[in-house]
Short mmCIF file of all heavy atoms in Angstrom, two decimals:
data_model
loop_
_atom_site.label_atom_id
_atom_site.label_comp_id
_atom_site.label_asym_id
_atom_site.label_seq_id
_atom_site.Cartn_x
_atom_site.Cartn_y
_atom_site.Cartn_z
N TYR A 1 269.65 6.51 -2.88
CA TYR A 1 269.61 6.70 -1.41
C TYR A 1 270.95 6.67 -0.83
O TYR A 1 271.27 7.44 0.09
CB TYR A 1 268.73 5.63 -0.78
CG TYR A 1 267.26 6.07 -0.81
CD1 TYR A 1 266.32 5.40 -1.66
CD2 TYR A 1 266.76 7.04 0.06
CE1 TYR A 1 265.05 5.82 -1.66
CE2 TYR A 1 265.45 7.45 0.09
CZ TYR A 1 264.59 6.78 -0.81
OH TYR A 1 263.21 7.19 -0.77
N LYS A 2 271.86 5.85 -1.29
CA LYS A 2 273.24 5.77 -0.81
C LYS A 2 273.92 7.10 -1.00
O LYS A 2 274.63 7.60 -0.15
CB LYS A 2 274.04 4.64 -1.52
CG LYS A 2 273.73 3.30 -0.98
CD LYS A 2 274.54 2.21 -1.73
CE LYS A 2 274.17 0.87 -1.41
NZ LYS A 2 274.83 -0.21 -2.22
N GLU A 3 273.66 7.68 -2.22
CA GLU A 3 274.30 8.94 -2.54
C GLU A 3 273.75 10.10 -1.67
O GLU A 3 274.51 10.90 -1.15
CB GLU A 3 274.11 9.30 -4.01
CG GLU A 3 274.98 8.47 -4.98
CD GLU A 3 274.54 8.59 -6.39
OE1 GLU A 3 273.73 9.46 -6.68
OE2 GLU A 3 275.13 7.86 -7.21
N GLN A 4 272.44 10.04 -1.43
CA GLN A 4 271.81 11.03 -0.55
C GLN A 4 272.32 10.84 0.88
O GLN A 4 272.72 11.90 1.53
CB GLN A 4 270.33 10.82 -0.49
CG GLN A 4 269.58 11.27 -1.74
CD GLN A 4 268.04 11.03 -1.70
OE1 GLN A 4 267.56 10.80 -0.63
NE2 GLN A 4 267.38 11.08 -2.78
N ILE A 5 272.44 9.72 1.31
CA ILE A 5 272.94 9.42 2.67
C ILE A 5 274.42 9.88 2.80
O ILE A 5 274.82 10.51 3.72
CB ILE A 5 272.79 7.91 3.06
CG1 ILE A 5 271.34 7.57 3.26
CG2 ILE A 5 273.63 7.62 4.40
CD1 ILE A 5 271.09 6.11 3.27
N GLN A 6 275.24 9.53 1.73
CA GLN A 6 276.61 9.97 1.71
C GLN A 6 276.76 11.48 1.75
O GLN A 6 277.59 12.03 2.50
CB GLN A 6 277.32 9.36 0.53
CG GLN A 6 278.87 9.48 0.61
CD GLN A 6 279.50 8.83 1.77
OE1 GLN A 6 279.20 7.72 2.10
NE2 GLN A 6 280.33 9.49 2.50
N THR A 7 275.91 12.16 0.90
CA THR A 7 275.94 13.64 0.87
C THR A 7 275.66 14.19 2.20
O THR A 7 276.31 15.13 2.72
CB THR A 7 274.99 14.12 -0.21
OG1 THR A 7 275.31 13.56 -1.46
CG2 THR A 7 274.99 15.63 -0.29
N ARG A 8 274.55 13.67 2.80
CA ARG A 8 274.09 14.16 4.09
C ARG A 8 275.22 13.88 5.16
O ARG A 8 275.47 14.71 5.99
CB ARG A 8 272.81 13.50 4.54
CG ARG A 8 272.25 13.98 5.88
CD ARG A 8 271.74 15.41 5.76
NE ARG A 8 271.36 15.85 7.07
CZ ARG A 8 271.64 16.99 7.67
NH1 ARG A 8 272.40 17.88 7.04
NH2 ARG A 8 271.21 17.25 8.83
N LEU A 9 275.82 12.72 5.03
CA LEU A 9 276.86 12.31 5.97
C LEU A 9 278.07 13.26 5.86
O LEU A 9 278.64 13.75 6.89
CB LEU A 9 277.23 10.90 5.76
CG LEU A 9 278.30 10.30 6.70
CD1 LEU A 9 277.68 10.17 8.11
CD2 LEU A 9 278.76 8.91 6.29
N ASN A 10 278.49 13.61 4.64
CA ASN A 10 279.53 14.51 4.42
C ASN A 10 279.25 15.86 4.97
O ASN A 10 280.08 16.56 5.58
CB ASN A 10 279.85 14.60 2.91
CG ASN A 10 280.46 13.33 2.33
OD1 ASN A 10 281.03 12.54 3.12
ND2 ASN A 10 280.41 13.15 1.03
N THR A 11 277.92 16.36 4.75
CA THR A 11 277.52 17.65 5.31
C THR A 11 277.65 17.59 6.79
O THR A 11 278.11 18.59 7.42
CB THR A 11 276.09 17.92 4.84
OG1 THR A 11 276.03 17.87 3.44
CG2 THR A 11 275.64 19.31 5.34
N LEU A 12 277.11 16.55 7.38
CA LEU A 12 277.13 16.47 8.92
C LEU A 12 278.60 16.43 9.44
O LEU A 12 278.91 17.04 10.43
CB LEU A 12 276.42 15.19 9.35
CG LEU A 12 274.84 15.25 9.20
CD1 LEU A 12 274.22 13.92 9.46
CD2 LEU A 12 274.24 16.29 10.12
N LYS A 13 279.48 15.69 8.68
CA LYS A 13 280.89 15.69 9.11
C LYS A 13 281.53 17.06 9.06
O LYS A 13 282.22 17.48 9.94
CB LYS A 13 281.67 14.70 8.13
CG LYS A 13 281.50 13.25 8.55
CD LYS A 13 282.32 12.41 7.60
CE LYS A 13 282.12 10.92 7.94
NZ LYS A 13 282.84 10.06 7.05
N LYS A 14 281.18 17.77 7.94
CA LYS A 14 281.69 19.12 7.77
C LYS A 14 281.23 20.06 8.96
O LYS A 14 281.95 20.72 9.61
CB LYS A 14 281.29 19.70 6.37
CG LYS A 14 281.90 21.05 6.08
CD LYS A 14 281.55 21.48 4.70
CE LYS A 14 282.11 22.86 4.38
NZ LYS A 14 281.69 23.40 3.13
N GLU A 15 279.87 19.92 9.22
CA GLU A 15 279.25 20.75 10.22
C GLU A 15 279.91 20.36 11.57
O GLU A 15 280.18 21.20 12.40
CB GLU A 15 277.79 20.52 10.30
CG GLU A 15 276.96 21.16 9.16
CD GLU A 15 275.48 20.76 9.21
OE1 GLU A 15 275.02 20.11 10.13
OE2 GLU A 15 274.80 21.17 8.24
N ARG A 16 280.14 19.10 11.80
CA ARG A 16 280.74 18.64 13.10
C ARG A 16 282.18 19.22 13.22
O ARG A 16 282.55 19.77 14.23
CB ARG A 16 280.81 17.12 13.13
CG ARG A 16 281.36 16.58 14.39
CD ARG A 16 281.32 15.06 14.41
NE ARG A 16 281.79 14.49 15.64
CZ ARG A 16 283.02 14.19 15.89
NH1 ARG A 16 283.96 14.31 14.96
NH2 ARG A 16 283.38 13.67 17.10
N GLU A 17 282.90 19.25 12.08
CA GLU A 17 284.30 19.80 12.13
C GLU A 17 284.22 21.25 12.44
O GLU A 17 285.08 21.80 13.26
CB GLU A 17 285.01 19.53 10.79
CG GLU A 17 285.43 18.13 10.66
CD GLU A 17 285.94 17.80 9.25
OE1 GLU A 17 286.15 18.77 8.47
OE2 GLU A 17 286.19 16.61 8.99
N GLU A 18 283.26 21.96 11.75
CA GLU A 18 283.12 23.44 12.06
C GLU A 18 282.77 23.71 13.49
O GLU A 18 283.25 24.59 14.15
CB GLU A 18 282.03 24.04 11.07
CG GLU A 18 282.53 24.09 9.64
CD GLU A 18 281.36 24.55 8.73
OE1 GLU A 18 280.21 24.70 9.15
OE2 GLU A 18 281.69 24.64 7.49
N LEU A 19 281.88 22.86 14.00
CA LEU A 19 281.46 23.04 15.42
C LEU A 19 282.58 22.72 16.37
O LEU A 19 282.82 23.48 17.36
CB LEU A 19 280.26 22.14 15.80
CG LEU A 19 278.93 22.49 15.16
CD1 LEU A 19 277.87 21.43 15.41
CD2 LEU A 19 278.44 23.80 15.83
N LEU A 20 283.39 21.71 16.08
CA LEU A 20 284.52 21.40 16.95
C LEU A 20 285.58 22.58 16.87
O LEU A 20 286.14 22.93 17.89
CB LEU A 20 285.21 20.11 16.46
CG LEU A 20 284.49 18.81 16.83
CD1 LEU A 20 285.08 17.59 16.21
CD2 LEU A 20 284.43 18.62 18.37
N GLU A 21 285.70 23.09 15.64
CA GLU A 21 286.65 24.22 15.53
C GLU A 21 286.11 25.38 16.32
O GLU A 21 286.88 26.12 16.98
CB GLU A 21 286.69 24.67 13.95
CG GLU A 21 288.06 24.49 13.40
CD GLU A 21 288.09 24.84 11.89
OE1 GLU A 21 288.03 26.12 11.65
OE2 GLU A 21 288.13 24.01 11.06
N TRP A 22 284.82 25.71 16.23
CA TRP A 22 284.23 26.78 16.92
C TRP A 22 284.38 26.57 18.38
O TRP A 22 284.64 27.49 19.18
CB TRP A 22 282.77 26.90 16.52
CG TRP A 22 282.01 27.98 17.14
CD1 TRP A 22 282.07 29.33 16.86
CD2 TRP A 22 281.12 27.87 18.25
NE1 TRP A 22 281.25 30.00 17.68
CE2 TRP A 22 280.57 29.20 18.56
CE3 TRP A 22 280.58 26.83 19.03
CZ2 TRP A 22 279.71 29.48 19.55
CZ3 TRP A 22 279.70 27.09 20.03
CH2 TRP A 22 279.24 28.37 20.30
N LYS A 23 284.22 25.31 18.88
CA LYS A 23 284.31 24.94 20.28
C LYS A 23 285.75 25.30 20.71
O LYS A 23 285.95 25.86 21.80
CB LYS A 23 283.92 23.55 20.47
CG LYS A 23 284.01 23.03 21.93
CD LYS A 23 283.72 21.56 22.02
CE LYS A 23 284.08 21.03 23.44
NZ LYS A 23 284.11 19.67 23.52
N GLN A 24 286.77 24.77 19.90
CA GLN A 24 288.15 24.97 20.26
C GLN A 24 288.45 26.51 20.34
O GLN A 24 289.18 26.92 21.28
CB GLN A 24 289.04 24.31 19.34
CG GLN A 24 289.06 22.77 19.44
CD GLN A 24 289.85 22.07 18.33
OE1 GLN A 24 290.14 22.65 17.30
NE2 GLN A 24 290.11 20.82 18.55
N ASP A 25 287.95 27.24 19.39
CA ASP A 25 288.19 28.68 19.39
C ASP A 25 287.55 29.34 20.61
O ASP A 25 288.20 30.20 21.23
CB ASP A 25 287.57 29.35 18.11
CG ASP A 25 288.37 29.04 16.85
OD1 ASP A 25 289.50 28.52 16.98
OD2 ASP A 25 287.86 29.25 15.75
N GLY A 26 286.38 28.86 20.99
CA GLY A 26 285.72 29.40 22.18
C GLY A 26 286.52 29.07 23.44
O GLY A 26 286.68 29.93 24.27
N GLU A 27 287.01 27.79 23.52
CA GLU A 27 287.77 27.42 24.73
C GLU A 27 289.05 28.19 24.71
O GLU A 27 289.52 28.64 25.84
CB GLU A 27 288.10 25.93 24.60
CG GLU A 27 286.87 25.01 24.91
CD GLU A 27 287.13 23.58 24.67
OE1 GLU A 27 288.21 23.22 24.23
OE2 GLU A 27 286.27 22.77 25.02
N LYS A 28 289.62 28.43 23.59
CA LYS A 28 290.95 29.24 23.52
C LYS A 28 290.66 30.65 24.00
O LYS A 28 291.44 31.22 24.79
CB LYS A 28 291.48 29.19 22.12
CG LYS A 28 292.86 29.86 21.88
CD LYS A 28 293.33 29.79 20.49
CE LYS A 28 294.59 30.63 20.30
NZ LYS A 28 295.07 30.70 18.94
N GLN A 29 289.60 31.23 23.50
CA GLN A 29 289.19 32.59 23.84
C GLN A 29 288.93 32.72 25.35
O GLN A 29 289.34 33.67 26.02
CB GLN A 29 287.99 33.06 23.04
CG GLN A 29 287.90 34.53 22.84
CD GLN A 29 286.85 34.89 21.79
OE1 GLN A 29 285.89 34.16 21.59
NE2 GLN A 29 286.99 36.02 21.16
N SER A 30 288.12 31.67 25.85
CA SER A 30 287.83 31.61 27.30
C SER A 30 289.11 31.61 28.12
O SER A 30 289.29 32.27 29.09
CB SER A 30 287.05 30.40 27.60
OG SER A 30 285.74 30.45 27.06
N GLN A 31 290.05 30.79 27.67
CA GLN A 31 291.41 30.73 28.37
C GLN A 31 292.09 32.05 28.37
O GLN A 31 292.68 32.46 29.37
CB GLN A 31 292.33 29.61 27.78
CG GLN A 31 291.78 28.22 28.00
CD GLN A 31 291.78 27.91 29.48
OE1 GLN A 31 292.56 28.28 30.28
NE2 GLN A 31 290.69 27.17 29.91
N GLU A 32 292.06 32.72 27.20
CA GLU A 32 292.72 34.09 27.08
C GLU A 32 292.03 35.04 28.07
O GLU A 32 292.70 35.80 28.82
CB GLU A 32 292.56 34.60 25.67
CG GLU A 32 293.46 33.90 24.68
CD GLU A 32 293.32 34.35 23.25
OE1 GLU A 32 292.54 35.29 23.04
OE2 GLU A 32 293.88 33.76 22.36
N TYR A 33 290.69 35.01 28.07
CA TYR A 33 289.95 35.87 29.04
C TYR A 33 290.24 35.59 30.47
O TYR A 33 290.46 36.47 31.32
CB TYR A 33 288.45 35.75 28.84
CG TYR A 33 287.98 36.50 27.52
CD1 TYR A 33 286.91 35.92 26.78
CD2 TYR A 33 288.51 37.62 27.03
CE1 TYR A 33 286.55 36.53 25.54
CE2 TYR A 33 288.11 38.21 25.84
CZ TYR A 33 287.11 37.64 25.13
OH TYR A 33 286.63 38.31 24.01
N LEU A 34 290.32 34.27 30.78
CA LEU A 34 290.63 33.89 32.16
C LEU A 34 292.03 34.33 32.51
O LEU A 34 292.30 34.84 33.66
CB LEU A 34 290.60 32.33 32.31
CG LEU A 34 289.17 31.78 32.33
CD1 LEU A 34 289.21 30.30 32.26
CD2 LEU A 34 288.36 32.21 33.55
N GLY A 35 292.95 34.28 31.57
CA GLY A 35 294.36 34.73 31.83
C GLY A 35 294.32 36.28 32.01
O GLY A 35 295.03 36.74 32.96
N LYS A 36 293.59 37.00 31.19
CA LYS A 36 293.53 38.40 31.40
C LYS A 36 292.92 38.85 32.77
O LYS A 36 293.32 39.71 33.50
CB LYS A 36 292.70 39.09 30.33
CG LYS A 36 293.43 39.08 28.95
CD LYS A 36 292.56 39.68 27.91
CE LYS A 36 293.31 39.69 26.55
NZ LYS A 36 292.43 40.20 25.44
N ILE A 37 291.83 38.07 33.11
CA ILE A 37 291.17 38.26 34.37
C ILE A 37 292.16 38.05 35.63
O ILE A 37 292.23 38.88 36.54
CB ILE A 37 289.86 37.39 34.55
CG1 ILE A 37 288.85 37.96 33.64
CG2 ILE A 37 289.36 37.41 35.96
CD1 ILE A 37 287.69 37.02 33.42
N GLU A 38 292.92 36.99 35.46
CA GLU A 38 293.86 36.63 36.54
C GLU A 38 294.94 37.68 36.65
O GLU A 38 295.34 38.16 37.74
CB GLU A 38 294.49 35.26 36.21
CG GLU A 38 295.44 34.77 37.33
CD GLU A 38 294.88 34.64 38.70
OE1 GLU A 38 293.65 34.50 38.83
OE2 GLU A 38 295.63 34.78 39.67
N ALA A 39 295.43 38.19 35.45
CA ALA A 39 296.49 39.26 35.48
C ALA A 39 295.87 40.54 36.15
O ALA A 39 296.55 41.19 36.89
CB ALA A 39 296.95 39.58 33.99
N GLU A 40 294.60 40.84 35.78
CA GLU A 40 294.01 42.02 36.35
C GLU A 40 293.81 41.92 37.83
O GLU A 40 294.03 42.85 38.56
CB GLU A 40 292.64 42.30 35.67
CG GLU A 40 292.07 43.65 35.83
CD GLU A 40 292.91 44.79 35.21
OE1 GLU A 40 293.62 44.55 34.19
OE2 GLU A 40 292.86 45.86 35.80
#
């Protein structure tokens, strides 16, 4: 059970990191779009 929990925990940590990366990319893209909109 410890191994199962650790495996699941590692998977969740990896998914969390991917989601945080995705969120940061989305925020960066939003900022770029906002910059383009302001320039336009």
Side-chain angles (χ1 to χ4, degrees):
Y1 274 105
K2 282 179 187 175
E3 288 170 6
Q4 286 178 17
I5 291 167
Q6 190 60 49
T7 302
R8 182 67 183 135
L9 186 63
N10 290 340
T11 304
L12 289 171
K13 282 181 180 176
K14 187 178 177 184
E15 286 175 4
R16 183 176 182 269
E17 286 171 11
E18 288 172 359
L19 286 171
L20 285 173
E21 245 180 73
W22 182 76
K23 180 185 171 191
Q24 287 173 345
D25 288 347
E27 286 173 354
K28 185 180 176 184
Q29 207 170 27
S30 294
Q31 289 299 322
E32 287 175 7
Y33 287 144
L34 286 173
K36 287 178 181 176
I37 288 168
E38 182 59 26
E40 196 63 30

